[in-house]
Amino acid sequence: MAPSTEVLDGGWGWVIVVACFMAQLLAYGSPQSVGVLYPEWLDAFQESKGMTAWVGSLVAGVGLIASPVCSACVDNFGARPVTIFSGVMVAGGLMLSAFAPNVQFLIFSYGIVVGLGCGLVYAATLTITCQYFDKRRGLALGIVTTGTSVGAFIYASAQNELIVLYGLDGCLLIIGALALNLMGCAGFMRPLNMPGYYLKQKAALERNTDVQLFEKPPLDDLKITAGSTSTTTEKPLTVKELFINIDAKDMTAQTEKKKGGLLAGLTIMKVIKSKQQAYCKYMHSMREIMQDQVMVAFCIAVFLFSLGAFPPVLFIEDVAQSEGLIEEVSVVPLVSIGAIASCVGKLALGMLVDIKWINGIYLYAFTMFAGGVALLLIPSTKTYLGLQILSAILGFFSGNWSLTSYITTSIVGLDRLTQAHGILMFFGGFGIMLGPPIVGWFFDWTQSYELAFYFSGCCVELGAFILFLLNLPCWNKKHSESDRPDVHYTSNCDKVASVA
């Protein structure tokens, strides 16, 4: 069922945008500002920084790695049920974390449960936004995805205040209760397209009822006996009787299939063969994508950027406290400064890449280079003001996540965007999961963040160099920004659900 063009790009679509914006704010507010909770967990559980860092890395990386599964759930069940279920997961994981006896429990409750819930919210909000917008899809998605940055900005300061007033456990219980409002956001997500699960159920029901609806039932089945008088009358079948007849017909059909075992076996073999062919075709498409030199370079760059640029989100507050640059909690934490700068960066870089003469891949490489420089300067910064400036710079250039789908489309085309973006998010999620524990292990080994941030900065600079080098015109690759076709987004939501 395709949506009518009259309901696109306006009307209820803007209600959807507001609901999805709030859903991302509520879901990602705490995970994006997990750096505020990190020092508290260190004091509470007295574990190593490498072990404790797994909590923050998993909550950010699990949702990205599981993005294909999350997208499949949205395709089959719809955005509203998935958002309701994700609200239970996020709220339950946060509240459960308030009772965590150790870091290992936190890794499960906060890292995995909340991370998967956030992944479901991300897939659901982007998919339903794509359904309601066509010409203004970029603007709508840009507004929706800024919810994560605004949530990080608000929650970073709010969690600091809640910890002071109610302690760490009370803070987690309160923000978990706030996350239940995801169910309210889901109530506004009125579907335009019927999800795949319901389409399959409807098709199965129609196949089973066609014969019952158009064939006249036998007269013997419609006889009514009352006392000693017997009359034969025809009456329409009720819904309950119709389903009973359907079940009876299915049982009869199953009995007939048992008699024709050879025919059933051939049918099963045909289904297995068709599934195998589809799987082989999918793997062949994936192999073709990964044979593209530009795509491989971009995947490596995203992995190295995630590996090096995500740890400051988790460690920057602890850096300021361990270096003695701040004695008490700041009114506006460094995490909040980075979050609001990231929000500005997403919008600014998204507008820049639309300019015809700007090469999207080179723009991404430049953001990596600038972010790497900021990382390399963090160990030599000896003032809190310097850390605030570097947090803003790094946050702004971390907004390059808004460029990923645009660049991926220019490399592989719109038809393969879903597969290619899934591969890219896997590399990004893998880097996010590994980055914080590696930085934590460096600190445990050297008792200083200097070597850890030098490692992070070098990783990001290496990724920028690889991306720039493998995209030089001398390679004569077929994918170039100068002669790429203009991308016209259509109503095919599956291929643009990850635009942001």
Side-chain angles (χ1 to χ4, degrees), residues 360-428:
I361 294 178
Y362 291 158
L363 178 61
Y364 192 91
F366 173 76
T367 60
M368 290 186 65
F369 173 79
V373 171
L375 284 169
L376 293 172
L377 291 176
I378 288 177
S380 60
T381 304
K382 302 303 179 183
T383 63
Y384 191 70
L385 177 61
L387 281 182
Q388 288 177 320
I389 295 173
L390 291 177
S391 296
I393 294 173
L394 188 59
F396 179 85
F397 290 112
S398 295
N400 59 9
W401 277 97
S402 62
L403 306 178
T404 53
S405 291
Y406 186 93
I407 296 173
T408 305
T409 306
S410 69
I411 295 173
V412 302
L414 188 61
D415 291 338
R416 296 183 178 180
L417 174 60
T418 304
Q419 290 177 324
H421 201 274
I423 296 171
L424 197 67
M425 289 299 100
F426 175 82
F427 278 91

Side-chain angles (χ1 to χ4, degrees), residues 38 49-54 57 303-304 306-308 310-311 314-315 430-446 448-449 451-457 459:
Y38 178 73
K49 297 195 176 185
M51 175 62 72
T52 310
W54 275 109
S57 64
F303 169 75
L304 291 173
S306 303
L307 182 68
F310 180 73
L314 185 61
F315 290 100
F430 193 56
I432 287 175
M433 286 181 60
L434 291 180
I438 290 175
V439 171
W441 291 330
F442 269 114
F443 183 91
D444 295 334
W445 177 38
T446 63
S448 173
Y449 279 112
L451 188 60
F453 278 94
Y454 285 141
F455 170 78
S456 297
C459 285

Side-chain angles (χ1 to χ4, degrees), residues 204-213 215 241-257:
L205 182 61
E206 287 177 349
R207 281 197 305 268
N208 290 333
T209 57
D210 278 345
V211 177
Q212 299 292 333
L213 292 175
E215 285 186 4
E241 292 169 341
L242 184 60
F243 276 108
I244 293 173
N245 286 339
I246 292 172
D247 292 338
K249 183 181 177 184
D250 288 342
M251 292 178 63
T252 305
Q254 289 176 5
T255 305
E256 293 176 355
K257 284 182 180 178

Side-chain angles (χ1 to χ4, degrees), residues 128-417:
I128 196 165
T129 303
C130 287
Q131 291 176 356
Y132 272 87
F133 287 87
D134 186 15
K135 296 177 182 177
R136 298 179 181 176
R137 183 174 292 148
L139 174 63
L141 288 171
I143 295 172
V144 168
T145 53
T146 54
T148 60
S149 300
V150 176
F153 175 77
I154 295 173
Y155 270 67
S157 301
Q159 288 181 150
N160 272 334
E161 294 298 325
L162 290 173
I163 289 171
V164 172
L165 293 174
Y166 304 105
L168 178 60
D169 297 343
C171 170
L172 289 171
L173 286 173
I174 291 172
I175 61 175
L178 286 174
L180 289 172
N181 288 288
L182 280 165
M183 299 181 186
C185 296
F188 294 96
M189 297 180 184
R190 186 172 63 197
L192 273 181
N193 298 324
M194 189 177 290
Y197 173 80
Y198 300 104
L199 288 174
K200 292 175 184 177
Q201 295 295 319
K202 182 181 178 183
L205 182 61
E206 287 177 349
R207 281 197 305 268
N208 290 333
T209 57
D210 278 345
V211 177
Q212 299 292 333
L213 292 175
F214 295 105
E215 285 186 4
K216 190 176 186 180
L219 292 178
D220 293 339
D221 296 339
L222 301 177
K223 289 182 179 180
I224 299 176
T225 304
S228 59
T229 306
S230 298
T231 58
T232 302
T233 59
E234 292 186 9
K235 63 175 182 178
L237 292 176
T238 64
V239 174
K240 183 176 179 180
E241 292 169 341
L242 184 60
F243 276 108
I244 293 173
N245 286 339
I246 292 172
D247 292 338
K249 183 181 177 184
D250 288 342
M251 292 178 63
T252 305
Q254 289 176 5
T255 305
E256 293 176 355
K257 284 182 180 178
K258 288 180 181 178
K259 294 179 181 179
L262 180 60
L263 182 60
L266 292 175
T267 304
I268 292 173
M269 291 300 295
K270 186 182 295 185
V271 171
I272 293 175
K273 187 176 180 181
S274 64
K275 295 290 185 182
Q276 184 178 6
Q277 289 176 348
Y279 177 77
C280 292
K281 184 178 179 181
Y282 180 81
M283 294 303 297
H284 179 70
S285 178
M286 297 276 281
R287 186 168 61 250
E288 286 183 345
I289 291 172
M290 294 309 296
Q291 286 176 348
D292 191 310
Q293 177 177 302
V294 181
M295 187 64 194
V296 172
F298 193 39
C299 288
I300 294 173
V302 169
F303 169 75
L304 291 173
F305 184 79
S306 303
L307 182 68
F310 180 73
V313 176
L314 185 61
F315 290 100
I316 196 68
E317 294 292 336
D318 192 50
V319 170
Q321 294 179 19
S322 62
E323 295 293 332
L325 302 180
I326 182 172
E327 296 181 357
E328 58 183 14
V329 176
S330 174
V331 177
V332 182
L334 297 173
V335 176
S336 294
I337 295 174
I340 202 65
S342 175
C343 181
V344 175
K346 287 178 181 178
L347 296 175
L349 294 173
M351 288 187 292
L352 279 176
V353 80
D354 280 333
I355 302 174
K356 289 292 184 181
W357 53 269
I358 290 182
N359 187 302
I361 294 178
Y362 291 158
L363 178 61
Y364 192 91
F366 173 76
T367 60
M368 290 186 65
F369 173 79
V373 171
L375 284 169
L376 293 172
L377 291 176
I378 288 177
S380 60
T381 304
K382 302 303 179 183
T383 63
Y384 191 70
L385 177 61
L387 281 182
Q388 288 177 320
I389 295 173
L390 291 177
S391 296
I393 294 173
L394 188 59
F396 179 85
F397 290 112
S398 295
N400 59 9
W401 277 97
S402 62
L403 306 178
T404 53
S405 291
Y406 186 93
I407 296 173
T408 305
T409 306
S410 69
I411 295 173
V412 302
L414 188 61
D415 291 338
R416 296 183 178 180
L417 174 60

